[in-house]
Structure formats: structure tokens, C-alpha cells
């Protein structure tokens, strides 16, 4: 059968809003998450963590703990295989400190016992002797030459000579003549910004259940964004062969990037190996805050020049990020994303990563971009204010579009930025009147989106139903979207399809659920797997009819002769072909594996109105609208959900959320009471406008949508607050004390 | 510490268990009774993922002792549907895509049911304040509010 690869724009199933396949399990409490399973003979483990921000481990005495009745195994860093690869070694060192503890909360010893109370009692019996070392938790302080060195010898060759050893990497992007650009400007604004580290804040703490048997085979159940990644990291840590470790991803209670690595999984496996029994570890919320997540903290300088009529002549940004106590490449993505929304003649971004005594950074939704774009979009807004220009018109005037050489190198294909800005301009929100004391803020946002390694199997059952086996944990409804795409391509109803997420031994490798890649890449692999199955079904029909398989086409869920010359046979449906498959060559399955390319970048624009209480410094969000290009929204409800959820995480980042460290280098707010994420009563409705500018890299035009929505809120809120109070804000979060301070400075 | 024997009712069924004096009702439900629908998001009363009702009152089960369930009537997410028939709130949550990861959903459904029993016709603001103790990190709450209001309206006209 000849394949039709022209992009599809008329859909039957894609673009509708069917109920998600895991819906009933999740509303009845039946869905099983990381902490919800147990095993016969299971032990419970707890982890002893460093009370110091930075200290040498002089000695560890676990003898009293081991002697406690009910304790079955104790492990430290010594129980893991050393790694040649720096990246792996860092992941492992973060799971269990080797010679030094590098931050408050760094794991030191783990104990498995017959119950949780005994394991906790055993932790109290462990004697760790520390030699405290000076610490540093601020990124700018860490870059000074007299700062305490967090880890020695970790600087890459890219780092200019003469910098602190804490600086681990340096990057530079851009093009054009900056000096000439700034000279052409009528106004140049230069400002410095800081953003606090924030946590992904998933409601489900990390949890896993590991079971290793005496023959070295192991099973691991855990909440993760990528079971294959967990398998690779854990098998290396334990010195096992990958095939001997089967990892099953539980339902996942949120991740946002924070569950793309391992923390407790290798520890549970090592304890199980030692004890010869299954071991469960569930983190407390305090542990989640102190030892997992967070995003980078940042300090950024931005300089932008603009002509009187609103043309940007040059842009420059210096970004200093800290990904905590380990080298971190997130600043590269910030430096690439900073000016992505603009078509510029002269642009340069420089990035540095510095080590601090904070937990190891984990990805958080569009990692690195929100901070950089916050700083750039704040300066653009200030220029608009100074020149008396409309901030939307200025963004339209300078917007990147098809053919623009992006600030980070590549030339853009079809992108939706202009359409998204136009949609914002036409929306009633933009022209609605504001009352005294209120402010309106606007920001554009951008994310690259990724494709990546993907593998999908599609099984045609003899009763005419279809099973799709994919390998990416479903965080926000992706099983529904994958089933929709399979149904669309096969031409059968949505409810004839069941999509499941395979364990690591049931399907080939899949990259983690990140980079907004699942609906794009897994969707594309599903479409190709469906086409593979269709080709086989056409060939079976051809065989039954005794005609050439090239003379059979697939239409509306059935094989039919390509035309009158091919022969005269009534169409054979998928169900009819499947029913006789055992007599025509055996079971029918489609398969596709690839390293997906062509993810297609995504732009969004957010509009927000706020009111600031000048007595308390509290900001009330009055109205919020998100505009975003989704390429093609497969399940629009879940696309809206991504836009709304990302916006609200960004609102929390802008207004309240931050890691607060004391003088002693310890985290002062490791709980939801003091680390305040937005609650329902803080928020207005979040309106959404989906634009659909097809991504040329996907047959249905799909683009990833999950990450972009966290990018614009930081600047949108800051611009709104700055306009409302008449003072430019330059530090996040804009918590009430910070706003009061800004107001008192006037 | 000596274990305590407790007789109680969970979702209408008589239940007996023994627990440690300092064991939370949440741990009892999850670890002793196999009712893992209530989740532990924090263990300190800050997230609402463990919401259940105790004698009709909405509580954080992580802040209630198992021993306090003696003679009481406990309601959990597992008791919300009537056999195969979903509660209207459950149906509305599916229809309105009011969950993404779903970890907050059991707690929010239990809390929303308690609200509608007290106030069958709440304003959006009342729903938002009632649910302010239930964190959801995925949805931004918008679709949750719509789902609760949709259920409320259907329950009023039923
Ligand atoms: S677990 Fe009870 S309130 Fe969070
Ligand atoms: S749906 Fe994930 S926390 Fe609410």
C-alpha cells in the first residue's frame, strides 16, 4: 500500500475531548502511585541526612543501629559501585554522600527495618562525625575568588581563567555587532535581576519498592518520569546488567522535571540486596524539599537598546546560575532562550554556572528559560514605559518569525509567535479598563521542545480492538492523546484502543517524559506504528482477495481495492481482517522506533492584571489569560490544563515561592506551610486561547505544549506589579516584604 | 508502646484494627486497611491529599490518630462511588478534565463532597476558599472549580 504522508488537517478523533482512560481509577482512589504498593516480607527504610551545609565526613559508626532488633540492612556510599563517568558519579554522590556532605539534607546512611518506627529509631543510633566546612549558598558570593570551594577540579575548559573554582561552565551565544547596535539606540536600559530557587512541588513525594533476589535479578517499582533512565542509572550504581533490572513506573503524582533522575531508587536496591528482602522507601515532604528538585537560583544582568519608534537595536545578557552542589548545564538553555522571541541584528548572551551548597538542581519545566526571559522581558517593558510605547506593538515589531535567525543560532521554520501576539492584541482582556492602583503585565515566552528516543508497539487484537504499548509515564493525560492519535490513524473509534505504559523489559528504550516530548514523539511513533500495522492489514486483504498488495488502500478503518481496476471487493474492516489473521499469516502488530527530530519550538504570550495592597504588600491576581501555539491540540482540555497549570506555577514563582537559607546554610522552609505554593483562593480563572500553527515536523502538526506556559508568568507578573506600584521590581519572588521594601524606597 | 484495638466503621462497613498509639489514621487506612486512596503529600496538615471525613466532618487524616476512630464513622474516597455508579463529582471531574496527575484528586473529591453537603449552591469564591486547604500543583484549579460547579448544578437538579 502506498503511504500518504501529506500533513493532515481534517480530523475525526484528534481535537475532540474524550474521557481519559485512567480517569475512573483516579477518581475512585484505585490508581496505584509510588507509595501505594507493598510486597510480602517488605522492609521499610529511612535515610539519615546531613544537618550541615558543607562538612567532611570523618567517620560513620552504624554498629548500634545494626544491633537494634528489627534492623535488617544498613548502607552508605561504600555500598555502591564507583563510576568512571562524571555524570553518573554525581547522580550517585547525590543519592549518598561519599567523603563530604555538600548541602543540608544530603543523604549519608540508610537503614531498612521491619517497620518504619524501628528504622527511624535506628537512625538515632548512628554516629556520624563531621568536620564542618565554610559554606556558600548565594550564586554571586560563590563566584567571588575568596568563596569556599564546594567541589574542586570541576571547572570545564570553557571557563575563563582567573575565576573561582566554583564556576563549572561557561557558554556564549549570539551574533552581530553589539557596540554598533547600542549606538543606534535612542534609549538603553541596563538592569540586574535575581530569581530564587523554587521547587517543582509535585504533591507526591518520591517513593519506590525494590526487590532483589539472591541470583541478582531485581524489580523496582517507582514514581518516575522515565523508567528506562532509572534502570540505566540504578544498574550502573549497583554494578548490574540492565537486563536483570526491571523497572515499572507507577502512576505518577506530578513531576514537572523533578522526577527525571534518581534519589532513593539505588538506595532501596542496595538495601534489598543486603537484606534479601523487598525494601520500600517513601520520602517525607521535608526530605523532598531538602534533597530533591529544585530549580536553579539566578543572578542576571540585561542591557537592551531601543529606538524611539520601538525597534530593538541590540540585546545583551549575562546569566549566572547555580544548580547547587554539582555541575549543571541549565544556564546554557537560559542563554539560548533569553532573546528567542526577538528578531535581532545584534545579540549576545553569556552564561556561567556556579557551585553552591544547595541540593543538586533537577529539571523544572523549561529549565533555565523562565529566569532568562523574565530578565529580558522586564527590560523590554521598562523601555516601552520610558518611550511611551505599547508593549504588544513593540513585541510585534520585533517578533521572531519564519526565516528569523534566532539568537541561539538556528533559523526558525513556521512559528506561531506573531499569531499569538495578534491574538493577545485582539482579545478583550488587552483593552479592558484598569482601575486605579491596578497594573497590567505582558510577557512572551519560548521553549525549544524535544523529540528524542522513542519506541512504540501497536497490537491488533483478533476481536478488532487495539493495544498500544508505549514507554512514557503519563503525567497529564498523555494516554488519552496517544489513543486518540492511534484511533485517528487507524480509523477506528477511540474506545476500541487501550494504551498502556510498559516496564523496561517489555519495550525498547524510551527517553524520559521531558522536553514536552510525549504527545509529539510518542504520538509520531504511534502514528508510524499504526501505518506499519495498516500496511500489514492491507497485505492480508490483498492475499485474501488474490490481488497485488499495492492495489489496496486503507480508508475509514478498512482495506479496500485502490480503484475499479484493482478488483471489485467490499471493504474489509480492521475487525474483519483481525478476526481471520491466524489463517492469513498470524498475529498483526505495528512497531516503530526512532530518535525523533522536528519537535518544533513553541511560543506563548501571557496577560495579567494585578492589584497590590500597599499596606500589606500582597499582590492579588485579578485576571489572567494565556495564549499559546499548540500546533494541533490533540486533546484540547489537557492542552488547556498544561497552559493553566504552568501559568499558576509561574505565578507562585513570581509572587511567593523561594528556597530560604539561613546564615547556617540550612534550608529554613522545607514544608508547604512556609514554602507557599498557590492555593485555589489565591487565583482567578485562568483563561486560555489555543492557537494552531502546524508544526511541519509532525503529520498532524503537533507541538509540545507542557513547558512554555511556565516561562512568561515571571515577567508578566513583574511587569504588572511594577506598573501598579510605579516602581520597577527586579527580584523574585515579589513576596509582600519585598514589595513593601520597594515601596518604601519609592 | 502497647498497641490499641479499635472498632470503627469505614465507608459503612464495620472494621477492626490494632495500631500503635501514635499511629495516624492515614497510616492505618493505607498500611493496615489497604485503603491507599488517601495520599500523604506532607504529613503535616498542609496539602489536603489525605482528606477523609470523620463523623461527617472533613479532616486531614494525617493529623488524626488511628485510635480516635474508635466508634466513629470514617468516609474515604473508596466510599464515594456507589458500587459501579460514580458519584456526580467523580463524573464531573472526568468530564471536565479536572485532574492531570490525579494525586490530589481523592482529597479534593472528599473535600468537595463535604462542601456540597453543607452548601449545595456555592459561589466560585466559596468553592475556592473551601478548597484552599487542598493543594493541586498540576491544574491551576480552574477546571477543578468548573467540575465542582457542574456537579453541584447537576446534583441540585437531580
Ligand atoms: S498529608 Fe495530610 S495534609 Fe498533607
Ligand atoms: S492533578 Fe496533580 S496535583 Fe492535582
Amino acid at each position: 500500500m502506498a503511504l500518504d504522508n501529506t500533513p493532515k488537517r481534517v480530523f475525526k478523533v484528534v481535537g475532540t475531548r474524550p474521557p481519559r482512560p485512567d480517569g475512573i481509577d483516579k477518581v475512585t482512589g484505585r490508581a496505584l502511585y509510588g507509595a501505594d504498593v507493598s510486597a510480602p516480607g517488605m522492609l521499610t527504610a529511612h535515610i539519615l541526612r546531613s544537618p550541615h551545609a558543607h562538612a567532611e565526613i570523618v567517620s560513620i559508626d552504624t554498629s548500634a543501629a545494626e544491633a537494634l532488633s528489627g534492623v535488617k540492612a544498613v548502607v552508605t556510599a561504600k555500598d555502591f559501585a564507583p563510576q568512571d563517568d562524571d555524570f553518573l558519579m554525581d547522580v550517585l554522590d547525590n543519592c549518598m554522600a561519599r567523603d563530604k556532605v555538600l548541602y543540608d539534607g544530603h543523604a549519608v546512611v540508610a537503614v531498612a527495618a521491619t517497620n518504619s518506627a524501628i528504622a527511624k529509631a535506628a537512625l538515632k543510633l548512628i554516629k556520624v562525625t563531621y568536620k564542618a566546612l565554610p559554606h556558600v549558598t548565594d550564586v554571586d558570593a560563590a563566584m567571588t575568588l575568596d568563596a569556599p570551594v564546594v567541589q574542586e577540579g570541576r571547572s570545564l575548559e570553557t571557563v575563563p581563567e582567573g575565576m573561582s573554582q566554583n564556576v563549572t561552565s561557561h557558554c556564549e551565544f549570539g551574533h552581530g555587532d553589539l557596540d554598533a547596535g547600542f549606538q543606534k539606540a535612542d534609549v538603553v536600559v541596563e538592569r540586574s535581576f535575581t530569581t530564587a530557587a523554587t521547587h517543582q512541588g509535585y504533591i507526591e513525594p518520591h517513593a519506590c519498592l525494590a526487590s532483589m533476589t539472591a541470583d541478582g535479578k531485581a524489580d523496582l517499582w517507582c514514581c518516575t518520569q522515565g523508567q528506562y533512565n532509572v534502570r540505566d542509572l540504578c544498574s550502573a550504581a549497583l554494578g548490574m546488567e540492565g537486563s536483570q533490572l526491571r523497572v515499572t513506573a507507577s502512576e505518577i503524582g506530578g513531576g514537572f522535571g523533578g522526577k527525571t533522575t534518581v534519589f532513593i531508587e539505588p538506595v532501596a536496591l542496595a538495601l534489598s540486596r543486603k537484606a534479601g528482602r523487598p525494601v520500600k522507601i517513601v520520602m517525607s515532604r521535608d526530605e523532598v524539599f531538602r534533597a530533591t528538585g529544585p530549580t536553579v537560583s539566578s543572578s542576571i544582568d540585561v542591557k537592551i537598546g531601543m529606538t524611539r519608534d520601538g525597534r530593538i537595536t541590540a540585546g545583551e545578557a549575562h546569566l549566572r546560575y547555580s544548580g547547587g552542589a554539582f555541575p549543571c548545564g541549565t544556564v546554557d538553555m537560559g542563554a539560548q532562550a533569553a532573546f528567542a522571541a526577538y528578531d535581532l541584528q545584534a545579540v549576545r548572551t553569556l552564561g556561567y554556572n556556579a557551585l553552591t551548597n544547595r541540593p543538586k538542581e533537577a529539571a523544572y519545566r523549561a529549565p533555565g528559560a523562565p529566569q532568562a526571559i523574565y530578565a529580558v522581558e522586564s527590560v523590554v517593558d521598562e523601555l516601552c514605559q520610558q518611550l511611551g510605547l505599547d508593549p504588544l506593538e513593540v513585541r510585534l515589531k520585533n517578533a521572531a518569525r519564519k526565516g528569523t535567525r534566532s539568537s541561539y543560532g538556528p533559523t526558525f521554520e513556521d512559528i506561531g509567535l506573531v499569531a499569538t501576539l495578534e491574538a493577545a492584541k485582539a482579545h478583550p482582556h488587552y483593552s479592558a479598563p484598569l482601575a486605579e492602583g491596578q497594573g497590567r503585565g505582558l510577557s512572551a515566552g519560548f521553549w525549544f521542545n524535544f523529540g528524542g528516543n522513542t519506541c512504540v508497539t501497536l497490537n491488533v487484537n483478533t476481536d478488532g480492538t487495539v493495544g498500544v504499548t508505549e514507554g512514557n509515564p503519563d503525567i497529564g493525560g498523555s494516554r488519552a492523546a496517544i489513543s486518540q492519535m492511534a484511533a485517528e490513524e487507524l480509523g477506528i473509534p477511540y474506545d476500541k484502543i487501550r494504551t498502556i505504559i510498559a516496564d523496561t523489559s517489555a519495550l525498547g528504550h524510551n527517553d524520559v517524559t521531558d522536553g514536552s516530548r510525549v504527545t509529539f514523539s510518542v504520538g509520531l511513533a504511534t502514528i508510524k506504528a499504526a501505518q506499519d500495522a495498516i500496511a500489514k492489514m492491507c497485505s492480508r486483504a490483498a492475499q485474501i482477495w488474490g490481488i497485488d498488495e499495492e492495489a489496496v488502500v486503507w480508508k475509514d478503518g478498512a482495506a479496500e481495492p485502490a480503484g475499479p481496476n484493482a478488483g471489485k471487493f467490499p471493504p474489509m474492516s480492521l475487525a474483519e481482517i483481525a478476526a481471520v489473521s491466524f489463517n492469513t499469516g498470524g498475529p498483526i502488530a505495528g512497531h516503530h522506533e526512532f530518535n525523533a527530530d522536528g519537535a518544533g519550538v513553541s511560543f506563548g504570550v501571557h496577560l495579567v492584571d494585578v492589584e497590590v495592597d500597599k499596606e500589606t504588600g500582597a499582590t492579588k491576581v485579578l485576571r489572567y489569560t494565556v495564549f499559546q501555539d499548540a500546533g494541533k491540540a490533540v486533546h484540547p482540555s489537557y492542552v488547556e490544563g498544561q497552559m493553566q497549570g504552568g501559568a499558576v506555577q509561574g505565578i507562585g514563582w513570581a509572587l511567593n515561592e523561594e528556597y530560604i537559607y539561613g546564615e547556617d546554610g540550612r534550608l529554613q522552609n522545607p514544608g508547604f506551610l512556609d514554602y507557599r505554593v498557590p492555593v485555589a483562593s489565591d487565583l482567578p480563572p485562568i483563561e486560555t486561547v489555543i492557537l494552531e500553527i502546524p508544526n511541519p515536523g509532525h503529520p498532524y502538526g503537533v507541538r509540545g505544549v507542557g513547558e512554555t506556559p511556565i516561562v512568561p508568568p515571571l515577567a508578566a507578573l513583574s511587569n504588572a506589579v511594577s506598573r501598579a506600584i510605579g516602581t520597577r521590581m527586579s527580584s523574585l519572588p515579589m513576596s509582600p516584604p519585598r514589595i513593601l521594601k520597594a515601596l518604601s524606597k519609592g | 508502646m502497647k498497641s490499641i484495638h479499635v472498632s470503627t466503621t469505614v465507608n459503612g462497613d464495620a472494621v477492626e484494627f490494632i495500631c500503635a498509639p501514635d499511629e495516624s489514621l492515614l497510616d492505618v487506612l493505607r498500611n493496615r486497611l489497604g485503603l491507599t486512596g488517601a495520599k500523604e503529600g506532607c504529613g503535616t496538615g498542609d496539602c489536603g491529599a489525605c482528606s477523609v471525613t470523620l463523623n461527617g466532618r472533613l479532616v486531614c487524616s494525617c493529623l488524626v490518630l488511628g485510635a480516635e476512630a474508635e466508634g466513629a464513622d470514617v468516609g474515604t474516597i473508596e466510599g464515594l462511588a456507589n458500587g459501579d455508579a460514580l458519584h456526580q463529582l467523580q463524573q464531573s471531574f472526568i468530564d471536565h478534565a479536572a485532574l492531570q496527575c490525579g494525586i490530589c484528586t481523592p482529597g479534593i473529591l472528599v473535600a468537595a463532597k463535604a462542601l456540597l453537603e453543607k452548601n449545595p449552591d456555592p459561589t466560585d469564591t466559596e468553592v475556592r476558599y473551601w478548597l484552599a486547604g487542598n493543594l493541586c500543583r498540576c491544574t491551576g484549579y480552574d477546571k477543578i472549580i468548573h467540575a465542582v460547579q457542574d456537579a453541584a448544578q447537576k446534583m441540585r437538579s437531580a
Side-chain angles (χ1 to χ4, degrees), chain B residues 65-93:
Chain B
L65 291 173
E68 289 179 78
E70 175 66 38
D73 196 352
V74 180
T76 73
I77 184 65
E78 287 89 349
L80 202 61
N82 186 358
D84 263 2
L86 293 183
H87 187 279
Q88 182 58 51
L89 275 162
Q90 293 172 311
Q91 190 59 52
S92 295
F93 267 58

Side-chain angles (χ1 to χ4, degrees), chain B residues 97-114:
Chain B
L99 53 141
Q100 282 178 33
C101 79
I103 195 92
C104 67
T105 309
I108 290 184
L109 286 168
V110 169
K113 178 169 176 258

Side-chain angles (χ1 to χ4, degrees), chain A residues 117-367:
Chain A
I118 295 174
K120 278 187 184 156
L123 294 188
K124 296 213 170 86
L125 299 174
I126 295 169
K127 289 194 203 77
V128 184
T129 311
Y130 294 103
K131 185 176 155 228
L133 298 168
H135 63 269
V136 59
T137 54
D138 177 77
V139 58
D140 287 318
M143 287 180 68
T144 59
L145 284 176
D146 52 359
V149 174
V150 177
Q151 289 197 59
E152 291 184 4
R154 301 307 303 270
S155 298
L156 295 178
E157 282 155 16
T158 52
V159 177
E161 256 181 67
M163 296 193 88
S164 158
Q165 278 204 66
N166 287 325
V167 180
T168 55
S169 62
H170 166 65
C171 60
E172 182 172 346
F173 298 92
H175 56 255
D177 184 340
L178 275 189
D179 292 339
F182 283 120
Q183 242 147 45
K184 277 187 236 152
D186 293 309
V187 182
V188 175
V189 166
E190 200 172 352
R191 251 188 202 281
S192 297
F193 300 86
T194 60
T195 67
T198 54
H199 196 275
Q200 294 79 352
Y202 32 80
I203 305 301
E204 178 196 31
H206 298 262
C208 69
L209 172 59
S211 178
M212 195 185 281
T213 47
D215 57 0
K217 289 192 179 60
D219 278 285
L220 178 66
W221 160 274
C222 60
C223 54
T224 175
Q225 289 175 242
Q227 60 273 41
Y228 298 89
N229 182 49
V230 171
R231 178 192 62 189
D232 295 350
L233 295 171
C234 289
S235 55
L238 278 285
M240 305 170 63
E241 284 174 10
S243 63
Q244 299 308 303
L245 174 58
R246 180 173 68 152
V247 182
T248 307
S250 69
E251 291 296 336
I252 177 170
F256 315 109
K259 290 177 182 166
T260 56
T261 183
V262 295
F263 299 101
I264 50 175
E265 295 81 359
V267 179
L269 282 164
L271 286 165
S272 176
R273 174 162 66 187
K274 249 189 173 167
R277 285 166 68 166
V279 172
K280 181 170 175 174
I281 302 183
V282 180
M283 274 194 178
S284 67
R285 180 55 55 181
D286 175 275
E287 290 179 287
V288 171
F289 274 114
R290 286 167 70 208
T292 74
T295 183
V296 296
S297 54
S298 79
S299 164
I300 302 169
D301 312 322
V302 169
K303 182 178 173 186
I304 299 177
M306 196 180 272
T307 59
R308 220 162 285 155
D309 64 348
R311 181 72 207 163
I312 298 177
T313 58
E316 187 180 7
H318 292 236
L319 306 128
R320 298 169 294 276
Y321 285 13
S322 176
F326 297 88
C328 169
T330 297
V331 73
D332 293 44
M333 291 190 274
Q336 292 181 67
F339 286 99
Y342 295 100
D343 182 2
L344 300 176
Q345 299 282 317
V347 56
R348 174 142 319 124
T349 55
L350 303 179
Y352 302 89
N353 180 70
L355 301 174
T356 52
N357 294 109
R358 288 171 176 251
K360 187 177 194 301
E361 181 249 18
Y364 183 18
R365 220 168 186 157

Side-chain angles (χ1 to χ4, degrees), chain A residues 20 27 33 35-36 199-201 203 205 252 254 285 364 475 637-638 640-641 644-645 649 657 678 680 683 685-686, chain B residues 30 36-37 39-41 46 77 90 94 97 99-103 109 128-129 132 135 137-143:
Chain A
R20 61 193 282 168
V27 298
Y33 293 83
D36 295 342
H199 196 275
Q200 294 79 352
I203 305 301
I252 177 170
R285 180 55 55 181
Y364 183 18
I475 306 196
S637 297
Y638 290 106
E640 291 159 7
Q644 294 168 329
Q649 284 186 318
E657 297 178 32
L683 297 160
I686 309 291
Chain B
R30 291 181 52 83
T36 55
K39 307 298 179 191
E40 179 169 321
D46 300 316
I77 184 65
Q90 293 172 311
I94 295 176
L99 53 141
Q100 282 178 33
C101 79
I103 195 92
L109 286 168
R128 285 184 180 274
Y129 275 90
L135 301 181
R137 190 60 160 170
C138 298
T139 64
Y141 306 102
D142 193 276
K143 293 187 188 300

